[in-house]
């Protein structure tokens, strides 16, 4: 029978061996990277962040007290790493500006469907907190409480971010799907118009 | 004509499916093994550092062997004086050769280093 995350963490803490932590890495790396890739829209940056996150988690595992799920603890490290990196690097400030919906060249078109491209474009139009919250809750399937723990934000704020993000995504996707001016519609403008 | 706006459920479904596709794509690439080999490399580095430190300690202790036997000779005299009060154990300790006691102390140090290294493995 497969051990739960908490059992693996307990084992990793007690034995200080890598085997238990390795299982946690295998279990969570894809989800973590998918979240970071969708969030940053930059595969290399996302993988660097994921690597730093996992190595930091390995060093800090003794400090995990089990108040939250291991997954939200891991994502909280990733979120802090992202914020720290953003503060450190002036280049990362470009991310916010590049979050404009017409930053089409940021999207890897090779492996995604037409709808997915629209979705990524719409996601890109969201503010960071909204994008992170909706990715954690709706895409990764976290509860609002888990997402709040991961983002270090109050529960009420996370619920607001998710609701606002859904509203903006709806407007952006609606604009994309509209037959008139569909190719030139700016989701951000459409979102503004829809309010 | 405009299409009706999407429901929350539809948006969640789109996001979930898109995320699941990405997750599945990343599941079996080399990333996890890269991270794990990175961790192994760190562990090996720690083991090498502990081994080197242990070897240096052992070499230093070996160089002090004569001094240690001298110290244990002094202890034997004290044990001898206390033999009456300590019974058989005290008598046995007093009659052990100082060289044997020094060798035992070194063996304990080596065993402790080996124990730490085993934990690193």
């Amino acid at each position: 029978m497969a051990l739960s995350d908490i059992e693996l963490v307990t084992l990793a803490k007690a034995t200080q061996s890598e085997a238990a932590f390795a299982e946690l890495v295998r279990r969570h790396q894809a989800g973590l990277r998918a979240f970071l890739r969708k969030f940053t829209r930059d595969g290399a940056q996302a993988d660097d962040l994921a690597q730093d996150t996992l190595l930091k988690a390995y060093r800090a595992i003794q400090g995990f007290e089990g108040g939250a799920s291991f997954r939200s603890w891991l994502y909280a490290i990733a979120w802090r790493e992202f914020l720290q990196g953003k503060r450190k690097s002036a280049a990362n400030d470009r991310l916010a500006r590049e979050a404009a919906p017409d930053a089409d060249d940021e999207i890897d078109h090779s492996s995604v469907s037409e709808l997915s491209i629209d979705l990524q474009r719409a996601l890109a139009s969201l503010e960071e907190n909204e994008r992170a919250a909706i990715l954690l809750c709706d895409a990764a399937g976290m509860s609002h409480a888990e997402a709040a723990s991961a983002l270090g934000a109050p529960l009420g704020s996370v619920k607001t971010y998710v609701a606002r993000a859904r509203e903006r995504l709806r407007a952006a996707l609606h604009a994309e799907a509209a037959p008139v001016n569909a190719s030139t519609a700016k989701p951000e403008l459409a979102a503004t118009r829809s309010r | 004509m405009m299409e009706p706006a999407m429901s929350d459920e539809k948006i969640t479904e789109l996001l979930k499916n898109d995320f699941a596709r990405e997750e599945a794509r990343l599941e079996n690439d080399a990333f996890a093994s890269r991270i794990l080999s990175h961790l192994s490399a760190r562990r090996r580095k720690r083991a090498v550092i502990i081994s080197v430190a242990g070897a240096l300690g052992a070499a230093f202790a070996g160089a002090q062997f004569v001094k240690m036997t001298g110290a244990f000779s002094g202890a034997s005299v004290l044990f001898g004086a206390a033999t009456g009060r300590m019974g058989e154990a005290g008598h046995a300790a007093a009659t052990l050769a100082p060289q044997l006691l020094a060798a035992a102390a070194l063996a304990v140090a080596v065993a402790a280093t080996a124990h730490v290294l085993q934990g690193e493995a």
Side-chain angles (χ1 to χ4, degrees):
Chain A
M1 198 178 76
L3 295 176
S4 70
D5 282 359
I6 295 296
E7 286 168 332
L8 286 170
V9 169
T10 308
L11 201 59
K13 283 169 78 167
T15 61
Q16 294 187 345
S17 79
E18 279 160 34
F21 189 78
E23 179 55 30
L24 288 165
V25 169
R26 283 186 210 100
R27 212 174 264 188
H28 291 286
Q29 61 89 17
L32 177 67
R33 288 164 67 209
F35 163 68
L36 290 169
R37 279 167 178 246
K38 294 286 169 195
F39 179 75
T40 62
R41 293 167 297 119
D42 179 338
Q45 190 198 1
D47 281 4
D48 285 349
L49 273 172
Q51 176 169 325
D52 291 347
T53 299
L54 291 166
L55 295 178
K56 202 162 255 188
Y58 179 70
R59 286 196 295 270
I61 193 88
Q62 295 293 338
F64 176 70
E65 288 170 354
S69 68
F70 175 76
R71 187 167 66 145
S72 63
W73 180 75
L74 191 64
Y75 282 55
I77 296 175
W79 183 244
R80 282 198 299 273
E81 283 290 302
F82 166 74
L83 292 178
Q84 219 166 42
K86 191 181 149 196
R87 273 197 292 270
K88 274 185 196 162
S89 164
N92 277 332
D93 288 344
R94 283 203 313 267
L95 274 174
R97 290 198 297 275
E98 287 168 1
D102 53 357
D104 202 27
D105 54 349
E106 285 290 308
I107 299 166
D108 176 12
H109 289 186
S110 60
S111 63
V112 288
S113 67
E114 201 54 39
L115 179 63
S116 190
I117 293 170
D118 289 347
L119 185 63
Q120 290 183 43
R121 201 180 285 136
L123 274 171
S125 72
L126 302 178
E127 286 174 14
E128 276 176 3
N129 283 333
E130 294 170 357
R131 190 159 70 240
I134 200 161
L135 282 171
L136 290 178
C137 293
D138 281 9
M142 277 190 185
S143 67
H144 286 120
E146 274 186 304
S149 168
L151 299 177
L155 182 60
S157 301
V158 168
K159 287 180 179 173
T160 306
Y161 294 149
V162 171
R164 209 186 297 155
R166 279 185 189 145
E167 195 52 48
R168 295 185 71 178
L169 277 185
R170 189 178 356 264
L173 289 170
H174 197 215
E176 293 282 349
V180 182
N181 294 332
S183 59
T184 55
K186 302 224 177 227
E188 216 165 42
L189 292 177
T192 313
R193 278 199 303 269
S194 71
R195 283 183 198 145
Chain B
M1 204 176 103
M2 298 281 277
E3 287 180 19
M6 281 183 189
S7 65
D8 282 358
E9 289 73 25
K10 179 69 182 167
I11 289 174
T12 302
E13 187 192 323
L14 278 178
L15 287 166
K16 204 178 276 280
N17 290 342
D18 185 60
F19 189 86
R21 267 197 304 275
E22 182 78 357
E23 198 175 359
R25 201 169 65 79
L26 300 171
E27 195 70 58
N28 294 315
D29 65 4
F31 182 84
S33 42
R34 209 167 60 232
I35 293 289
L36 296 177
S37 70
H38 194 92
L39 289 177
S40 301
R42 285 167 59 90
R43 178 175 48 80
R44 280 196 298 274
K45 197 171 149 192
R46 276 172 61 91
V48 166
I49 289 169
I50 291 171
S51 302
V52 168
L56 279 174
F60 182 77
Q64 302 297 313
F65 193 76
V66 175
K67 277 188 185 173
M68 282 173 75
T69 53
F72 280 119
S73 298
S76 293
V77 171
L78 288 176
F79 275 131
T83 299
R85 290 196 299 278
M86 295 173 71
E88 286 298 312
H91 182 71
T95 52
L96 277 177
Q99 286 86 350
L100 192 62
L101 286 171
L106 288 180
V108 167
V110 168
T113 307
H115 180 70
V116 171
L117 281 174
Q118 194 184 17
E120 290 291 317

